Amino acid sequence: MPSNPDRSRSDDAGAGSSDPLSRSNLHSPPNVKMSRADTVDMFTEEIDPYARDWMFPEENNENHYARAFMFGDFHADTHSFIEKATSRAPKEVACAAAASALVSPLVSIIDKCLVQDIAGTSQFLKAVSNATKEMVLTPKTFFSALPFRLTFAVYFGTYAVANLTELAMDKNNITKDDQRKTIKVGASGLANIGLLLWRDSIFARMYSNSPPRAIPMRTLGLFAARDMSTMYATFYLAPLAAEYLEKNHGIETNIAELSSALAIPAAIQVVTAPFHIHAMDFYSRPSTAEAPITNADRWGIVRKEFKTVSFARSFRILPAFGIGSFSNNKFREWFIRQENEDLLLQRQLTRAFTSMRN
């Protein structure tokens, strides 16, 4: 029986359509041989670089694009900034300030209200409600108040030190991962821990029922242990968790790294919540000869506040290490010159306006 040429051509087209990147699906000229790499380039040339990586992870298994949004990243090849240090440094500081402005309202509300709850001056949810109303109804009062300004200083200082540390390492051609990790952990860890010790000491004095006094060494030590644990989880435990997810469960590298970078620091707050509670309680309720406080009393406060504090401090990690880190690095990507200048905001806006005019 003679073959039907039309059907034959239809069968050939159908066979090729099983691959969404096949030449027929991309309307390529007939009788032109194209490699798969060429086809991918045709299909994705107008797609945002990050979207392209998510769509084709098998073509980008060495491109750890999620690291650009992680506070704990230290790799030399994450960014490809080429701007001179003299003009890059002010931009690094400005990006840190912008990122801190985004996360500080929510974090300042949570942290202030936790102190009030532990000190017994207000219930947590009621305090959150009052602070949120103040932010919405009287923003001038909220943003000029000390809790917001102190929290802004904490995260501005943390992000700025991290950004400037990367600049210094790039300028001095420090490319080894172990060396970069040690330097960034030391610099940003000292900044974050020191600033939080300073801010939380002020919070303790402001919202405690007891008269203002010197912060006890036990309180300072517990604050430091709390924040060092968070830094350790961010820079050391999160990468180990990502490696485990990738190797043992087949999770895609970027998904494993980004999810671990958020989940592990949040999870460690369950461990450090008793440190935070006891530190604040030890300051708020000093034990005296006239009114002694036993260890059982102290543990009673820890048990009473544990659920609230562990949940709230885990939740606050998401803006601090999620929104803050993402926005900090996105601002840097938009405004600091790099090898791929198509990522600069100016270029993106120019393309958008040109496209609208055409």
Side-chain angles (χ1 to χ4, degrees):
M1 183 176 181
S3 61
N4 186 336
D6 293 335
R7 179 172 182 176
S8 176
R9 284 193 297 270
S10 176
D11 292 343
D12 291 341
S17 65
S18 62
D19 185 354
L21 301 179
S22 67
R23 176 167 51 83
S24 60
N25 286 340
L26 296 172
H27 309 290
S28 301
N31 302 321
V32 177
K33 299 292 184 180
M34 298 181 66
S35 69
R36 181 176 177 82
D38 291 337
T39 306
V40 170
D41 288 339
M42 284 180 58
F43 187 67
T44 61
E45 62 183 4
E46 297 299 327
I47 297 177
D48 179 85
Y50 294 112
R52 173 172 176 164
D53 291 337
W54 282 107
M55 293 170 64
F56 305 104
E58 72 279 3
E59 304 289 346
N60 298 278
N61 54 15
E62 294 301 323
N63 184 9
H64 298 277
Y65 51 87
R67 291 176 179 171
F69 309 120
M70 293 158 45
F71 179 75
D73 176 64
F74 50 84
H75 299 85
D77 57 354
T78 299
H79 303 285
S80 301
F81 295 132
I82 57 175
E83 188 158 343
K84 291 183 179 180
T86 51
S87 58
R88 178 179 165 184
K91 292 181 180 180
E92 296 280 19
V93 173
C95 290
S100 179
L102 289 177
V103 303
S104 295
L106 179 58
V107 175
S108 67
I109 288 174
I110 292 174
D111 288 352
K112 180 186 78 169
C113 295
L114 281 177
V115 176
Q116 292 176 311
D117 185 62
I118 295 170
T121 57
S122 178
Q123 292 182 344
F124 178 71
L125 292 179
K126 182 179 179 180
V128 169
S129 176
N130 291 336
T132 304
K133 288 178 182 177
E134 182 184 57
M135 180 178 67
V136 174
L137 300 178
T138 56
K140 183 177 180 180
T141 301
F142 177 86
F143 289 106
S144 62
L146 193 57
F148 172 79
R149 289 187 285 122
L150 290 173
T151 304
F152 175 85
V154 168
Y155 289 98
F156 168 62
T158 301
Y159 297 144
V161 168
N163 292 354
L164 294 174
T165 299
E166 287 191 27
L167 168 59
M169 291 190 291
D170 293 344
K171 182 174 176 57
N172 290 281
N173 296 317
I174 299 174
T175 58
K176 293 182 178 179
D177 285 349
D178 290 344
Q179 193 173 2
R180 289 179 68 92
K181 184 175 185 177
T182 300
I183 294 172
K184 186 171 181 180
V185 171
S188 57
L190 282 174
N192 183 256
I193 293 169
L195 288 168
L196 282 171
L197 281 175
W198 166 67
R199 189 208 62 171
D200 287 350
S201 297
I202 297 174
F203 274 12
R205 293 191 185 98
M206 287 178 64
Y207 301 111
S208 172
N209 278 325
S210 63
R213 60 192 177 95
I215 303 296
M217 286 304 300
R218 182 187 296 191
T219 295
L220 292 175
L222 288 168
F223 284 161
R226 174 200 67 189
D227 298 327
M228 283 190 290
S229 299
T230 301
M231 285 290 127
Y232 184 80
T234 300
F235 285 98
Y236 294 97
L237 296 184
L240 290 176
E243 183 179 358
Y244 172 80
L245 291 174
E246 182 182 359
K247 290 184 177 179
N248 294 71
H249 296 279
I251 305 297
E252 197 268 329
T253 301
N254 292 282
I255 295 175
E257 289 185 346
L258 191 55
S259 59
S260 297
L262 294 175
I264 300 303
I268 203 69
Q269 303 311 308
V270 176
V271 177
T272 61
F275 300 169
H276 183 76
I277 297 167
H278 183 56
M280 288 296 182
D281 179 57
F282 191 77
Y283 176 85
S284 299
R285 297 192 305 151
S287 182
T288 63
E290 295 78 15
I293 298 177
T294 66
N295 290 333
D297 293 332
R298 299 289 188 194
W299 280 113
I301 292 295
V302 171
R303 288 193 298 270
K304 176 186 174 185
E305 301 291 344
F306 177 77
K307 290 182 180 180
T308 299
V309 173
S310 59
F311 173 80
R313 285 190 58 81
S314 296
F315 178 77
R316 73 182 284 283
I317 289 293
L318 299 181
F321 287 85
I323 297 171
S325 297
F326 172 82
S327 57
N328 178 45
N329 282 295
K330 197 65 178 177
F331 289 142
R332 298 171 74 205
E333 180 186 280
W334 279 348
F335 296 108
I336 299 175
R337 287 189 59 226
Q338 56 201 284
E339 291 179 3
N340 183 7
E341 294 196 351
D342 286 339
L343 297 176
L344 293 172
L345 182 61
Q346 182 180 359
R347 291 288 184 91
Q348 295 183 35
L349 292 175
T350 301
R351 286 200 306 271
F353 287 136
T354 302
S355 177
M356 291 171 60
R357 291 169 60 184
N358 294 336

